Amino acid sequence: MVLYRQTWAILLAIAVTGFISQGFAGTLHGLWLLQVHPARLINDYTAIAGTGATLVNAVLVALIGLVLARLSKVRISGPVIAAVYTMLGFGLFGKTPVNSLPIILGVFVASRLARTNFNTYILIALFGTALAPVVSAVAVEVLPIGPASWTMAVAAGVAVGIVLPPTAMVMLRFHQGFNLYNIGLTSGFIGLFVASLVIAAGGSLPATLIWNTDPDIVLILFIPVLSVIFIVAGMAKNPLKGWKDNWEINTLSGRLPSDFMDMVSIHGSLVNMGLLGLGSWGYCMIVQAPLNGPVIGGILTIIGFGAFGKHLRNCWPVMAGILAATLLFGVELTAPGAILAILFGTTLAPIAGEFGLGLGFVAGFLHLVMVSRSGAWHTGMSLYNNGFAGGLTATLLAAFMEWYQAIRDDSPKEST
Amino acid sequence: MKKRNELALHLIGEVGHYILEANPKRLVISLHLEDDGFHLKILDDIVRSDKEIEEMNLMLHETQRPELAGYYGSMTGFETLGHARLGMVGWQVKHGEVRHRDGGSQIDIWLGGEQFDPPHFTIPADKA
């Protein structure tokens, strides 16, 4: 209950900040613009509708997740916190209430078809809004805009939502929990089919890049303020326990599903979330990356998963691998692909947590190579492109490690 | 019925994986099936300390987490890397219990659907 209230308070504060920064009328106008704008990667909403409208849009998307979780009577803990902050982050560049709700409705229909409670699919529904651009694409890109296109868009959203649960469960088995954004792999996979269908039907899905290079002060200060709130909240009752529990969290592998709030403590998790936020923000400041919608979205996702699989110890080897690949292949550190890869690439953190720094580094290195290509495959239909590429990398490494451990265990021992 | 059988197989896989990690010489799995659930009993010859038994009981006594069981629970019994996780079993079952048994340990797991009726299973009345 405390976490639920705390999250509500944070979201309300963000929405108020949004209204103040852009004015009431300007915010509402921008908010409307976003609902009817294409959402495929990369559409930085802060450049399209302004900071205030983008923040309010993100809050509305996150509130859908939080309220649905509450109504579904699931515990507000690590996985729900991860989902809500991921939704908040992607509300800055791709998700809106309008394009997210049909996906959630589709997952609900899937739960009815499976004769199970919606709460067993709630996480798939919330993370599954990664496919929200499918709805927007059908409504405003593929078909002539009108009631028919919106009807088709909702139908498409519901259809992909129905396919999500069975696909997500199978995808988990591929990488065995070593890709934290499993819905990224799932939605990228489904996105391949959607994009192929659209192109086969004669549609055109050109690459998009709307990227705010001049974010305002509200966006620049957003993450450090939020991170400090988490750290203070985590240390409020007992500062020593907050740090001690955070230390314990750093000893865990983070493999799915690792609910740090349940396995260790809420306070340690909040400190972890804050530290990850400050660390990621610090990196962006050092390389002078613009703190725009997608970059803040990446950091918010890291913060959310600070309660569900990520910590400084399992993230840095992966980030180091991505950084090394970026430098080796001559990619600019602040290029959209590179900065998003280093933030979202931490989806592979459990590989470093389970198998050590070396394999974590290799995973990160491979990730940059894969993620540079994978977005074009699904034409940006899945917002979790790094989850898609990360899932492929994790599957490769999990398969290799399974084989390697089997032959190592079976090899004859040397006699002394 | 298919769903029940599939779940039973996954749980047997995960618990079996857990027991085999301790390298037993003997492992017996008994499955008592009902229309709306089952009772899984696992016996081994591993002599565990009281602390180990307590830890196992804690993992099997996890509160029910439908949001985790319905999604991540699908990994149960499929993991070939890393250690087996009894906690994943704990979210999905109605009741689990571990205790010492002559020269080894005994794990009892009860699982039922929405219409779970303890007397139909062999669950002790005071633990239902």
Side-chain angles (χ1 to χ4, degrees):
Chain A
M1 197 62 182
V2 175
L3 267 178
Y4 179 70
R5 284 186 187 149
Q6 187 190 67
T7 311
W8 254 103
I10 287 171
L11 294 178
L12 280 181
I14 295 170
V16 169
T17 307
F19 277 112
I20 291 171
S21 73
Q22 200 172 337
F24 192 73
T27 302
L28 288 186
H29 176 68
L31 195 57
W32 168 253
L33 277 181
L34 295 181
Q35 310 312 308
V36 293
H37 195 276
R40 287 184 299 119
L41 290 174
I42 297 173
N43 272 290
D44 182 350
Y45 284 174
T46 64
I48 294 162
T51 300
T54 304
L55 289 178
V56 173
N57 179 69
V59 166
L60 291 175
V61 174
L63 278 178
I64 291 173
L66 186 63
V67 170
L68 269 180
R70 183 75 181 160
L71 291 176
S72 304
K73 294 178 182 163
V74 297
R75 196 196 299 178
I76 308 296
S77 190
V80 170
I81 291 295
V84 168
Y85 280 95
T86 300
M87 291 174 84
L88 180 70
F90 281 88
L92 304 174
F93 71 114
K95 294 184 186 179
T96 67
V98 169
N99 66 13
S100 297
L101 284 170
I103 311 284
I104 294 172
L105 178 62
V107 178
F108 175 78
V109 172
S111 73
R112 296 289 93 192
L113 292 173
R115 286 189 219 99
T116 185
N117 288 328
F118 179 60
N119 64 8
T120 60
Y121 287 173
I122 181 82
L123 293 174
I124 299 174
L126 303 189
F127 284 122
T129 48
L131 282 166
V134 171
V135 177
S136 299
V138 175
V140 299
E141 286 188 277
V142 177
L143 299 173
I145 302 172
S149 75
W150 278 102
T151 307
M152 287 294 288
V154 171
V158 171
V160 295
I162 292 172
V163 182
L164 266 167
T167 318
M169 290 178 205
V170 169
M171 294 291 157
L172 267 177
R173 295 171 196 164
F174 283 178
H175 56 77
Q176 299 196 35
F178 288 105
N179 174 35
L180 289 173
Y181 310 157
N182 180 59
I183 294 292
L185 177 59
T186 310
S187 56
F189 183 73
I190 294 171
L192 290 176
F193 288 88
V194 177
S196 302
L197 274 170
V198 170
I199 291 165
S204 167
L205 295 166
T208 313
L209 179 61
I210 298 176
W211 185 258
N212 185 356
T213 53
D214 187 23
D216 63 27
I217 192 73
V218 174
L219 293 173
I220 293 169
L221 293 179
F222 184 88
I223 293 297
V225 170
L226 186 65
S227 300
V228 168
I229 289 172
F230 282 130
I231 294 173
V232 170
M235 292 168 54
K237 269 196 175 172
N238 184 342
L240 194 65
K241 184 170 162 41
W243 287 110
K244 207 177 140 211
D245 287 352
N246 179 249
W247 181 258
E248 193 181 333
I249 285 172
N250 274 265
T251 63
L252 303 171
S253 76
R255 184 184 182 187
L256 281 175
S258 294
D259 181 351
F260 292 159
M261 292 187 161
D262 194 39
M263 295 165 84
V264 182
S265 76
I266 291 175
H267 295 100
S269 303
L270 290 172
V271 172
N272 191 45
M273 291 163 74
L275 290 177
L276 283 168
L278 284 180
S280 310
W281 180 80
Y283 172 81
C284 293
M285 292 301 283
I286 290 168
V287 301
Q288 296 183 321
L291 285 149
N292 55 23
V295 171
I296 293 180
I299 301 176
L300 282 172
T301 305
I302 292 179
I303 288 176
F305 275 86
F308 193 50
K310 292 184 189 179
H311 48 69
L312 289 172
R313 197 165 149 262
N314 67 4
C315 281
W316 82 259
V318 178
M319 294 175 98
I322 297 169
L323 183 62
T326 307
L327 295 171
L328 183 71
F329 297 126
V331 183
E332 212 178 310
L333 288 176
T334 56
I339 191 72
L340 294 183
I342 208 159
L343 296 173
F344 287 111
T346 49
T347 182
L348 293 165
I351 292 183
E354 182 86 23
F355 302 115
L357 309 182
L359 208 62
F361 183 90
V362 171
F365 193 94
L366 288 174
H367 178 72
L368 183 86
V369 180
M370 287 304 291
V371 81
S372 310
R373 292 260 164 258
S374 58
W377 300 344
H378 54 74
T379 66
M381 285 285 187
S382 164
L383 291 172
Y384 306 166
N385 182 44
N386 277 267
F388 180 40
L392 297 174
T393 304
T395 300
L396 177 77
L397 294 178
F400 175 80
M401 286 310 291
E402 189 180 328
W403 170 80
Y404 173 72
Q405 287 183 352
I407 58 167
R408 190 188 57 183
D409 290 348
D410 285 347
S411 60
K413 305 269 185 305
E414 281 183 25
S415 55
T416 52
Chain B
M1 195 72 85
K2 187 172 182 285
K3 200 171 163 185
R4 182 200 65 177
N5 292 352
E6 196 181 317
L7 184 55
L9 282 170
H10 294 175
L11 295 183
I12 290 170
E14 193 72 29
V15 182
H17 183 184
Y18 185 88
I19 303 290
L20 287 172
E21 279 182 347
N23 205 17
K25 293 274 182 257
R26 183 171 61 93
L27 169 63
V28 180
I29 296 174
S30 147
L31 183 61
H32 168 77
L33 292 166
E34 293 283 349
D35 286 343
D36 192 31
F38 55 80
H39 171 204
L40 182 63
K41 180 184 281 194
I42 299 120
L43 307 166
D44 68 12
D45 61 349
I46 302 289
V47 181
R48 294 183 169 83
S49 66
D50 289 344
K51 194 181 168 213
E52 281 176 291
I53 296 282
E54 191 189 332
E55 282 171 1
M56 290 170 75
N57 268 316
L58 271 178
M59 287 190 274
L60 284 178
H61 283 165
E62 289 273 2
T63 6
Q64 289 216 323
R65 302 283 301 269
E67 80 281 16
L68 295 178
Y71 176 24
Y72 299 111
S74 61
M75 282 196 289
T76 310
F78 278 96
E79 295 179 302
T80 46
L81 277 170
H83 298 292
R85 298 186 277 185
L86 273 192
M88 293 219 292
V89 175
W91 306 325
Q92 303 178 62
V93 300
K94 290 285 175 186
H95 186 74
E97 192 175 291
V98 189
R99 61 173 182 263
H100 293 292
R101 194 177 182 276
D102 301 337
S105 316
Q106 174 176 330
I107 301 176
D108 288 286
I109 288 169
W110 290 271
L111 191 135
E114 304 285 332
Q115 307 302 318
F116 181 67
D117 183 12
H120 286 172
F121 300 77
T122 45
I123 190 167
D126 60 324
K127 301 277 173 55

